[in-house]
Amino acid sequence: MTSLELQGQAAKSAAQTLAVAGTQLKNQALSAIADALLAHTADILAANAADLSAAQANGMTVSMQDRLRLTEERIRGIADGVRQVAALPDPIGAAVSEAVRPNGLRISRRRVPLGVIGIIYEARPNVTADAAALCLKSGNAVILRGGKEAFRSNQALTEIMRNALESAGLPKDAISLVQDTSRESANELMNLTAYLDVLIPRGGRGLIRAVTANAKVPVIRTGEGVCHTYVDESADLDMACSIAYNAKCSRPSVCNAMECLLVHRAVAEQFLPLVKARLDVKSVEIRGDETVRAVLGDAVVPATEEDWDTEYGDYILAVKVVDSLEEAIDFCNLHGSGHSECIVTESYTAAEQFLNAVDAAAVYVNASTRFTDGGEFGLGAEIGISTQKMHARGPMGLEELTSTKFVVRGNGQVR
């Protein structure tokens, strides 16, 4: 057996224990994890500093370094997130439906864990703790495969959590980290059908498409975020500026950040200089079509066809002028990733048309796409934003990490 197969075997055994662990025991383990993360803050920061040093030496962009960086405040936030998961209702065992058939059979559907979940993700060490906590509470074992950029941070976090699990009386192999960050280990994980029940990729479009194309394990697509904001002809332009600035600049490296701004031609000459002035605060590079360049001048980089489909994850924004609401809707559906789309408008009719016609996990009227988040939606922590339509769509919390089984009770019925 390969080392990853052994890891999968251990995770499968741990998953069987977790599936019948009570809520109290799981919550005690989560509390122990939160306490341990805070107690070992210095160790986590030391590991993260080594990762950051290597990232800087390798020329990682500033926005990606922000995703990688841990601070005392962020570690406190991670620990708080683990406690929040502990406080959420346990979905396992909950009855989804129940009915009595004419023959007297009582048939109910109950929530059960998925089993063993694999997660492939990039340079965000907070995912290590978030994913582990959510999988634990929903009764699933998890095999984590982070990127090489965050390996030291992920290793430190994982060891701390494994030790805390063991101290709480649960198998430490319920949480494990793939020690090899090569492409080969990712490929092996994608094909670990004997042990993995589902695989969740979290990262950019390249990672998600590679996993979807190559995995034999069932995949839930998350995180691919080519999000649009459309400024309608009836928009409050001051509001539109604020929304666009927040959607692009508050944290450009995350999947719910805006990557493309669409502007109705009727307000383009007035709005584009206003929004550029706001975006200039963060030195956002604008890549625009001919109309945008005609209004804003040579400061705008000519947009290519590739720009309309790019998730920059940086202070770069594609901007296009459209002639109608219908054109904006068609553009979002053609070039978006199915994550989050926004219309800024004072027209009820335009808002309803946009809401009904745009095909995305979250559709907004007059609010930043940055709100697409489990916590912001009142769902608690999330393992990612699903951009597919089967099983789960949008922020994936505890319920989305479960399946169901039928429980049938009879008194001697035969067919």
Side-chain angles (χ1 to χ4, degrees):
M1 283 185 129
T2 67
S3 60
L4 193 50
E5 286 174 326
L6 289 170
Q7 197 169 342
Q9 188 179 62
K12 197 170 187 71
S13 176
Q16 292 171 354
T17 301
L18 280 184
V20 295
T23 302
Q24 184 177 357
L25 181 55
K26 290 186 291 186
N27 286 346
Q28 287 172 351
L30 288 166
S31 180
I33 286 173
D35 291 342
L37 291 172
L38 293 176
H40 292 277
T41 294
D43 297 328
I44 298 169
L45 290 177
N48 186 247
D51 282 334
L52 278 168
S53 179
Q56 290 161 2
N58 291 326
M60 180 184 280
T61 64
V62 172
S63 63
M64 288 302 292
Q65 287 181 44
D66 178 61
R67 299 181 80 164
L68 173 59
R69 180 174 288 105
L70 292 174
T71 63
E72 287 190 17
E73 182 180 2
R74 287 186 178 182
I75 293 171
R76 284 195 298 272
I78 290 170
D80 287 343
V82 173
R83 295 191 200 283
Q84 288 168 13
V85 171
L88 292 171
D90 188 347
I92 301 305
V96 177
S97 63
E98 187 170 358
V100 178
R101 302 295 299 151
N103 61 5
L105 287 178
R106 184 177 296 275
I107 302 175
S108 63
R109 293 179 68 191
R110 293 182 181 176
R111 291 201 178 277
V112 295
L114 291 170
V116 180
I117 298 175
I119 301 178
I120 298 180
Y121 54 108
E122 296 175 329
R124 291 187 68 181
N126 65 294
V127 173
T128 303
D130 293 346
L134 284 162
C135 288
L136 174 60
K137 183 63 180 268
S138 55
N140 298 289
V142 63
I143 299 176
L144 302 158
R145 196 277 185 188
K148 63 182 180 181
E149 301 86 355
F151 179 71
R152 300 172 188 85
S153 305
N154 292 337
Q155 192 173 44
L157 289 164
T158 303
E159 281 307 303
I160 291 165
M161 291 190 293
R162 281 166 60 85
N163 291 334
L165 268 182
E166 198 168 40
S167 72
L170 286 174
K172 65 180 182 180
D173 288 320
I175 301 170
S176 63
L177 178 73
V178 177
Q179 298 298 302
D180 177 6
T181 59
S182 69
R183 182 172 296 178
E184 287 72 23
S185 73
N187 289 334
E188 187 179 356
L189 192 63
M190 292 180 210
N191 292 282
L192 205 64
T193 54
Y195 304 108
L196 279 189
D197 293 285
V198 68
L199 186 60
I200 302 175
R202 283 196 60 171
R205 175 172 284 193
L207 169 68
I208 293 165
R209 290 191 172 181
V211 172
T212 304
N214 297 307
K216 291 182 181 178
V217 176
V219 173
I220 299 177
R221 295 169 61 114
T222 72
E224 187 179 347
V226 180
C227 305
H228 298 79
T229 299
Y230 164 57
V231 180
D232 188 41
E233 60 182 326
S234 69
D236 179 318
L237 298 188
D238 287 337
M239 178 194 293
C241 281
S242 295
I243 289 172
Y245 178 80
N246 178 263
K248 177 75 261 183
C249 298
S250 64
R251 200 169 180 191
S253 63
V254 295
C255 63
N256 56 24
M258 173 181 65
E259 301 293 10
C260 185
L261 177 65
L262 304 176
V263 182
H264 195 288
R265 190 173 299 277
V267 295
E269 286 194 20
Q270 183 181 358
F271 176 71
L272 288 171
L274 294 175
V275 75
K276 182 179 183 301
R278 291 294 300 274
L279 296 171
D280 281 347
V281 173
K282 292 290 187 178
S283 301
V284 175
E285 176 184 309
I286 294 176
R287 300 183 183 180
D289 63 9
E290 290 183 4
T291 305
V292 176
R293 297 191 75 226
V295 174
L296 297 180
D298 293 337
V300 176
V301 176
T304 66
E305 284 301 312
E306 184 180 0
D307 284 310
W308 309 132
D309 299 299
T310 299
E311 184 179 8
Y312 301 109
D314 205 346
Y315 290 106
I316 303 171
L317 178 66
V319 183
K320 182 177 178 61
V321 171
V322 296
D323 290 318
S324 66
L325 169 63
E326 290 74 18
E327 184 182 351
I329 290 169
D330 289 344
F331 193 92
C332 290
N333 288 336
L334 178 62
H335 296 282
S337 60
H339 193 296
S340 301
E341 310 288 11
C342 166
I343 181 174
V344 184
T345 185
E346 294 297 296
S347 166
Y348 174 83
T349 302
E352 289 302 302
Q353 186 174 342
F354 190 87
L355 289 174
N356 292 331
V358 167
D359 186 15
V363 189
Y364 291 79
V365 177
N366 297 335
S368 169
T369 57
R370 286 281 287 111
F371 284 102
T372 307
D373 173 271
E376 294 293 336
F377 280 13
L379 304 175
E382 45 139 85
I383 210 156
I385 309 295
S386 171
T387 55
Q388 65 181 35
K389 298 182 181 180
M390 295 184 67
H391 174 63
R393 195 179 196 194
M396 290 185 60
L398 293 174
E399 286 192 1
E400 287 72 28
L401 296 179
T402 67
S403 182
T404 60
K405 70 178 177 184
F406 286 93
V407 175
V408 185
R409 297 182 185 276
N411 56 1
Q413 288 91 336
V414 294
R415 181 179 180 186

